[in-house]
Amino acid sequence: MGLPNASEDLSSEMEVDAFRRLFPLRYFERHLAESIRPDGRPLGKSRETSIFLGAVSTANGSALVKIGSTTMLTAIKMEVMTPSLESPDEGCLAVDFFMPPICSPIVRPGRPAEASPVVSKQLSDTISSSRMIDLKELSLVSGKAAWMTYLDIYCLDADGALFDAALLSAVAALSHLQIPAVAMNDDGKIVLVSDEDGQNQAQEPVNKEKRKLTLRSIPFSLTCILHKNYILADPTAEEESIVETHLTIVLDTSGQLISLYKPGGSVLAYTSSVQDCVALTRQRVKELKSLLDKENSAMEV
């Protein structure tokens, strides 16, 4: 008796899947009419988010972040450099975003993903304009030595809202960063002090011990897609492929607007729509800050 029902259910699922593939926009709009999305979320709700600090043991700071299926891994490495003549009291921060072929079927081996340089530039601009990091804190000896900080973000699964996940991963890794202890040797060069070396008498301490980087204004973001009168927060890759108009809002933890990014699209972002997106972003910032604070507190225990 159970076989006919099972067969009917399977047939129905196949019909729904075929309709979804052949008419993605109509399938999408049928869900919107019910104020729900294909994955079951309300329109303004973000996907489940997790942060794991210290994911890469060989890095000075690292974090693995998941927003839904979208997965980002950030690793930070630091090395001593000679500061520029223009900024003798400042270190440097280099941000790179990578999309290897494993992250998405649309990324082909041997061909750089089109989104990589765009997201890299967005991340670099956001971190700079938010003034989250004081580059003077990366100085060691004025005009002679400073930290060159490489912040590399790897997309492991690209299922939408890439910038949001990449920024969260970068911020989390920076919050986990331990600046190494260094000293000046007899030749006047800055060298790393290992835990085994301790305070070597032949070396003059510059950083006596590992220390955390002071993060001042921490930015978080939320990407929304606009379709007719609907606003959807934290879109999946499928939703992004259907709807052309994307709007990314970046706020810091004090609620200050850092940036607003709208890469084209046929729908105008009216003032009311932008205000609604900002309101959703404020709520999202509180959620992400609470989550990051919780993870950092757990690391300190």
Side-chain angles (χ1 to χ4, degrees), residues 250-265:
V250 183
L251 301 176
D252 65 18
T253 48
S254 68
Q256 183 74 26
L257 178 65
I258 302 299
S259 66
L260 185 155
Y261 182 69
K262 180 180 177 294

Side-chain angles (χ1 to χ4, degrees), residues 57-62 76-81 92 137-141 145-150 173-174 176-184 190-195 197-199 203-214:
S57 61
T58 54
N60 299 116
S62 62
I76 302 174
K77 289 294 286 184
M78 306 183 77
E79 63 181 33
V80 178
M81 68 164 196
C92 287
E137 196 174 342
L138 299 177
S139 176
L140 291 169
V141 179
W147 287 113
M148 179 69 216
T149 306
Y150 298 97
L174 286 167
H176 175 255
L177 175 64
Q178 293 277 346
I179 300 178
V182 293
M184 186 177 294
I190 300 294
V191 294
L192 294 177
V193 177
S194 66
D195 294 334
D197 289 340
Q199 296 300 326
Q203 299 176 338
E204 178 184 346
V206 178
N207 282 345
K208 293 185 179 180
E209 58 185 13
K210 292 182 179 180
R211 60 184 176 87
K212 302 279 282 184
L213 185 65
T214 303

Side-chain angles (χ1 to χ4, degrees), residues 14-276:
M14 292 176 65
E15 289 177 2
V16 170
D17 187 59
F19 181 78
R20 183 174 189 166
R21 292 174 181 273
L22 293 172
F23 307 102
L25 182 56
R26 287 173 58 188
Y27 176 84
F28 183 64
E29 288 180 334
R30 284 190 179 185
H31 283 82
L32 294 185
E34 302 294 329
S35 296
I36 198 167
R37 296 156 77 165
D39 61 7
R41 282 184 292 155
L43 305 188
K45 184 174 178 59
S46 297
R47 293 168 290 176
E48 184 176 343
T49 303
S50 63
I51 301 173
F52 176 63
L53 301 177
V56 182
S57 61
T58 54
N60 299 116
S62 62
L64 179 70
V65 162
K66 288 179 68 80
I67 299 180
S69 294
T70 300
T71 307
M72 298 286 171
L73 175 67
T74 296
I76 302 174
K77 289 294 286 184
M78 306 183 77
E79 63 181 33
V80 178
M81 68 164 196
T82 302
S84 66
L85 295 176
E86 295 78 11
S87 304
D89 297 319
E90 294 183 356
C92 287
L93 177 68
V95 180
D96 279 307
F97 178 75
F98 303 95
M99 293 184 69
I102 61 168
C103 77
S104 170
I106 64 174
V107 179
R108 304 299 297 274
R111 299 180 183 178
E114 293 181 4
S116 290
V118 177
V119 176
S120 287
K121 181 69 164 55
Q122 271 186 277
L123 289 167
S124 184
D125 290 347
T126 298
I127 293 173
S128 175
S129 60
S130 69
R131 298 182 179 178
M132 176 173 59
I133 299 172
D134 183 0
L135 294 179
K136 291 185 178 180
E137 196 174 342
L138 299 177
S139 176
L140 291 169
V141 179
S142 180
K144 294 183 177 179
W147 287 113
M148 179 69 216
T149 306
Y150 298 97
L151 194 152
D152 294 333
I153 304 151
Y154 298 88
C155 179
L156 305 182
D157 193 334
D159 188 28
L162 300 187
F163 175 77
D164 299 344
L167 179 61
L168 178 59
S169 181
V171 167
L174 286 167
S175 74
H176 175 255
L177 175 64
Q178 293 277 346
I179 300 178
V182 293
M184 186 177 294
N185 65 14
D186 295 335
D187 298 328
K189 294 182 179 180
I190 300 294
V191 294
L192 294 177
V193 177
S194 66
D195 294 334
E196 293 78 10
D197 289 340
Q199 296 300 326
N200 193 316
Q201 293 182 353
Q203 299 176 338
E204 178 184 346
V206 178
N207 282 345
K208 293 185 179 180
E209 58 185 13
K210 292 182 179 180
R211 60 184 176 87
K212 302 279 282 184
L213 185 65
T214 303
L215 302 182
R216 300 183 296 176
S217 174
I218 301 178
F220 296 105
S221 67
L222 178 67
T223 296
C224 298
I225 55 175
L226 312 180
H227 181 68
K228 296 182 177 179
N229 295 324
Y230 300 104
I231 298 176
L232 288 75
D234 181 30
T236 63
E238 181 185 22
E239 291 172 335
E240 288 181 339
S241 69
I242 297 171
V243 180
E244 294 182 355
T245 305
H246 304 178
L247 186 66
T248 299
I249 307 288
V250 183
L251 301 176
D252 65 18
T253 48
S254 68
Q256 183 74 26
L257 178 65
I258 302 299
S259 66
L260 185 155
Y261 182 69
K262 180 180 177 294
S266 58
V267 177
L268 293 175
Y270 295 106
T271 302
S272 59
S273 298
V274 174
Q275 290 175 340
D276 290 341

